[in-house]
Amino acid sequence: MKTKNFKMTLIAFITAILMGILSSLFMGYKDESPMVTLEDVWTVSYNGYVYDNIDISNRAALSNIIGDGIPKGKSITIKTTLPDIGDLNFPTLMVYTHFCAFTIAEKNVPIESIFMDEYEKNKPVGSVYSFIPIDKDYAGETITITFYAGEDDPFEILYSPVLGDYRDVKTGFIQSNLFPLLTGVFMIIFGGAFLIVAFIFFPSMPEFKSQIFSSLFSLDMGIWTICYFKLASLFSDYRYVSNLEYASLFLLVPISFMLFDSITSTRKLFLYRAFTWLSTGLVVLFLILHFANIVHMKETLKYIHILGLVIIIYVFIYRFKYHSKDDITASDSIIMQGFSVLGIVLIIDIIIHQIYWLPSMQLIRPERFILPLGVLFNAFCLLINYYLYISESFARKKEYASLTHLAYADGLTNLANRSRSDKYLHDLDLSNEDYTLISLDLNGLKEVNDEKGHSCGDKYLIEFAHVMQDSMVSNDFCARIGGDEFIVITKITDHREIDNYIDRMRDRLNSLNVSDPEYFRSVAAGYASKNELPEGNSHDVYLLADTRMYQNKRDMHKQFGHEARI
């Protein structure tokens, strides 16, 4: 199992790498018009002081101006003169704002404001890329942007605005984030599709609960990935992007706890279950406080990080504790490997953000590759988990069906046995349906066994079983209930049709007697319908049919000149 798991994990890893490489091939975009990043050209005004030629994306340079950070409610203004980069069809500025509102003015005339309504009402202010159209005769014009801090120290990350044609600026932004975008969309489609499948199978397979949680995790992870890279504004109003980002991140915590609870042996761990419900309660509380505008999610984010760290530690402990044991199934082992790698990637992402002030980090932006790679690897592990889980489930069902068949089937003829027959008759007693029971007894089986051997006797029984099945209607029930005793239960109650059925069996037996005269084949038959005994049960119907069968056997023995053997 370990070798198989390793191969499948390797396949998931290679597939994720290939998708990353494939996306990176399309991440380069050739501008149709000139485009420039406005870096060390800004005049910064803060606390009554003015600073010239500042590169606002340089964290060290910005820290010299704002010190320990801008407190909530304070503002900072940046101003520059736009360079002439050529003729642009739709001149546009791409501006990134991080937990602050802003206004932008051209020639001291306001042209756009972002998050100002939320800021003035003290509501949560998010992070978003905005594409601001400016005057076609932009060259030499003064652009003034004033940022208003919606949270304490919002300038942890500040990218320099980009000037260019609208199509080039927006397409370039999408292309530079193509891998995260494709990853997020894939996770949403994958999670949504498998969530529907899981709900379809859940009523008949309650153990599919873990697949419901893994689908929810994938769906939520896809939403968070798109929001984390500020791509959700391409599909929705920018005002909702940060709320959606934090809500999806917070919800990953209880979903993860419940997912691991459903695939591992944590049901015996009271502490884990208590921690699961505690974390779920905290997440719900944080969301309520945020949307009630009491405590914003950014302020409670550190607690979510702690809970996330607990999950990652638990995954590693559980993964390595059972790594050399058979207590974990193949499908669960794969899913734990996927979450182990995702946990490592999330830790790396946190470290990257702690050193993001390095110029090389801002240039390369490794989180665009590392985080989607971990998410995709986890997704492919979930896909393999689905495959293994469904394979294991169907194998168990097949094994159960096989054991059930062995318990309820006659080993020689493969017909239902007496136990299955008794159960079928019991079920009939619970219904009000009318039916006919035919009691059948092979003639001469003992003589065939004694004179020709048991192999011939077995052949006689098998032949008759085939004759029964060939003669019966498709939904009739037939069983071997003793050595030479058989029964047929049919919904047909017309006695003429029952006689025709018995005649068909005897005709087929006579055909066998002609084609293979090694021994003589015949059967005694008797039948009774439920409507003949309205107050009786299936046992009474069987006794009446059996009595008539023995009377038929006596008549047949008299016909052939033998002493009746009852």
Side-chain angles (χ1 to χ4, degrees):
M1 185 182 82
K2 291 178 183 177
T3 303
K4 183 179 180 181
N5 285 356
F6 175 76
K7 289 180 179 178
M8 291 194 167
T9 304
L10 187 61
I11 290 171
F13 182 74
I14 293 173
T15 307
I17 290 287
L18 289 176
M19 283 195 68
I21 294 172
L22 188 63
S23 332
S24 65
L25 294 176
F26 296 95
M27 288 178 73
Y29 174 69
K30 185 173 178 57
D31 308 335
E32 294 185 3
S33 303
M35 192 163 63
V36 64
T37 300
L38 305 175
E39 294 178 333
D40 53 351
V41 295
W42 295 93
T43 297
V44 179
S45 301
Y46 179 66
N47 268 348
Y49 295 95
V50 179
Y51 307 86
D52 295 322
N53 299 321
I54 301 298
D55 181 0
I56 59 173
S57 64
N58 187 315
R59 189 169 182 176
L62 198 60
S63 295
N64 291 332
I65 298 172
I66 63 176
D68 294 331
I70 300 177
K72 181 177 179 180
K74 294 279 287 184
S75 64
I76 184 172
T77 300
I78 61 174
K79 181 190 299 185
T80 192
T81 300
L82 297 178
D84 185 359
I85 61 172
D87 186 39
L88 302 176
N89 292 325
F90 300 98
T92 300
L93 272 179
M94 181 176 74
V95 180
Y96 177 66
T97 176
H98 187 66
F99 295 117
C100 53
F102 74 88
T103 59
I104 182 169
E106 185 176 8
K107 295 183 291 189
N108 296 320
V109 177
I111 58 174
E112 185 64 275
S113 64
I114 301 294
F115 285 126
M116 286 306 296
D117 287 344
E118 289 76 10
Y119 174 78
E120 290 168 357
K121 295 175 182 177
N122 196 32
K123 290 184 177 181
V125 174
S127 305
V128 70
Y129 283 93
S130 301
F131 301 88
I132 313 296
I134 57 176
D135 192 80
K136 191 169 180 63
D137 299 323
Y138 65 90
E141 300 294 348
T142 300
I143 289 290
T144 305
I145 306 175
T146 302
F147 294 97
Y148 300 87
E151 304 286 348
D152 288 330
D153 192 19
F155 292 104
E156 297 171 359
I157 304 171
L158 186 60
Y159 298 125
S160 298
V162 175
L163 171 65
D165 186 75
Y166 176 81
R167 182 177 181 275
D168 290 329
V169 172
K170 195 157 193 175
T171 305
F173 168 71
I174 294 172
Q175 289 288 97
S176 64
N177 292 281
L178 187 59
F179 190 25
L181 177 62
L182 293 177
T183 299
V185 171
F186 171 78
M187 292 293 287
I188 291 172
I189 295 173
F190 162 67
F194 276 89
L195 183 62
I196 294 172
V197 172
F199 273 121
I200 291 173
F201 279 98
F202 182 68
S204 58
M205 300 173 67
E207 65 272 20
F208 235 72
K209 182 174 69 171
S210 63
Q211 309 308 316
I212 292 177
F213 286 123
S214 61
S215 299
L216 283 172
F217 181 88
S218 300
L219 182 63
D220 195 37
M221 179 59 78
I223 294 172
W224 177 74
T225 300
I226 287 179
C227 292
Y228 178 74
F229 289 95
K230 317 308 175 193
L231 296 162
S233 57
L234 299 173
F235 313 102
S236 64
D237 192 310
Y238 71 87
R239 296 176 180 85
Y240 309 126
V241 171
S242 291
N243 283 340
L244 191 57
E245 175 189 349
Y246 278 89
S248 57
L249 176 63
F250 280 37
L251 288 173
L252 283 175
V253 170
I255 292 174
S256 299
F257 273 114
M258 292 177 185
L259 171 60
F260 298 135
D261 184 47
S262 65
I263 67 174
T264 63
S265 56
T266 58
R267 291 171 182 78
K268 299 177 182 178
L269 302 178
F270 172 78
L271 185 61
Y272 181 91
R273 301 301 295 274
F275 201 82
T276 298
W277 288 110
L278 175 63
S279 64
T280 303
L282 284 174
V283 167
V284 172
L285 176 63
F286 293 159
L287 292 174
I288 291 173
L289 291 175
H290 174 81
F291 289 106
N293 202 27
I294 298 172
V295 180
H296 296 171
M297 281 188 281
K298 184 177 183 293
E299 299 175 39
T300 56
L301 183 60
K302 55 181 174 288
Y303 302 111
I304 295 300
H305 285 162
I306 293 172
L307 292 174
L309 185 60
V310 170
I311 295 173
I312 293 171
I313 292 172
Y314 169 75
V315 169
F316 279 108
I317 292 175
Y318 190 90
R319 179 71 190 90
F320 290 107
K321 179 180 178 182
Y322 292 95
H323 182 74
S324 59
K325 297 182 180 181
D326 295 328
D327 297 352
I328 184 169
T329 65
S331 59
D332 290 347
S333 177
I334 289 290
I335 201 172
M336 295 302 281
Q337 288 173 8
F339 278 98
S340 297
V341 172
L342 181 60
I344 293 172
V345 166
L346 290 173
I347 292 173
I348 293 173
D349 186 66
I350 293 173
I351 295 172
I352 288 173
H353 276 274
Q354 296 304 312
I355 58 174
Y356 215 79
W357 54 270
L358 294 172
S360 58
M361 286 293 172
Q362 297 179 37
L363 180 64
I364 301 172
R365 295 186 61 196
E367 78 280 2
R368 292 183 301 165
F369 302 95
I370 295 175
L371 184 59
L373 194 64
V375 172
L376 268 184
F377 176 78
N378 179 257
F380 289 128
C381 283
L382 288 175
L383 270 173
I384 294 172
N385 166 64
Y386 272 111
Y387 167 74
L388 292 175
Y389 188 86
I390 291 173
S391 299
E392 291 170 358
S393 296
F394 278 105
R396 286 195 299 268
K397 282 186 173 291
K398 186 176 180 181
E399 182 181 8
Y400 177 77
S402 177
L403 292 173
T404 302
H405 179 73
L406 289 174
Y408 286 114
D410 177 61
L412 178 65
T413 63
N414 208 34
L415 296 175
N417 60 15
R418 188 176 193 96
S419 296
R420 179 71 184 92
S421 172
D422 291 342
K423 185 178 185 308
Y424 192 89
L425 290 170
H426 175 72
D427 292 340
L428 285 175
D429 287 334
L430 300 177
S431 69
N432 295 320
E433 292 184 274
D434 199 4
Y435 60 89
T436 297
L437 190 151
I438 307 172
S439 177
L440 301 163
D441 191 279
L442 286 180
N443 293 318
L445 178 62
K446 183 178 185 303
E447 288 76 9
V448 171
N449 281 328
D450 292 344
E451 297 173 10
K452 304 289 185 180
H454 285 278
S455 59
C456 275
D458 290 346
K459 177 185 174 185
Y460 188 4
L461 289 167
I462 294 171
E463 286 176 336
F464 182 67
H466 291 157
V467 166
M468 286 179 66
Q469 291 173 314
D470 292 341
S471 305
M472 65 190 287
V473 180
S474 59
N475 58 349
D476 287 347
F477 174 83
C478 57
R480 180 189 178 197
I481 60 173
D484 55 3
E485 299 175 45
F486 298 80
I487 65 167
V488 174
I489 301 172
T490 177
K491 298 300 169 63
I492 299 172
T493 55
D494 186 332
H495 288 188
R496 287 173 299 181
E497 291 189 44
I498 301 298
D499 288 335
N500 288 335
Y501 170 77
I502 296 171
D503 289 341
R504 284 198 301 273
M505 281 196 298
R506 285 173 171 160
D507 288 342
R508 285 184 168 86
L509 289 175
N510 288 332
S511 296
L512 287 171
N513 288 332
V514 172
S515 61
D516 181 13
E518 183 179 7
Y519 48 84
F520 185 75
R521 305 162 182 83
S522 66
V523 64
Y527 57 84
S529 297
K530 176 68 173 67
N531 55 41
E532 297 181 71
L533 299 166
E535 301 300 323
N537 56 24
S538 60
H539 181 67
D540 298 324
V541 176
Y542 169 73
L543 289 178
L544 179 57
D546 206 45
T547 300
R548 290 170 177 173
M549 181 276 293
Y550 277 112
Q551 182 59 51
N552 179 245
K553 184 179 274 289
R554 292 189 192 94
D555 295 340
M556 293 180 72
H557 277 277
K558 288 178 182 178
Q559 178 183 350
F560 294 123
H562 297 298
E563 184 70 24
R565 181 177 59 81
I566 307 301

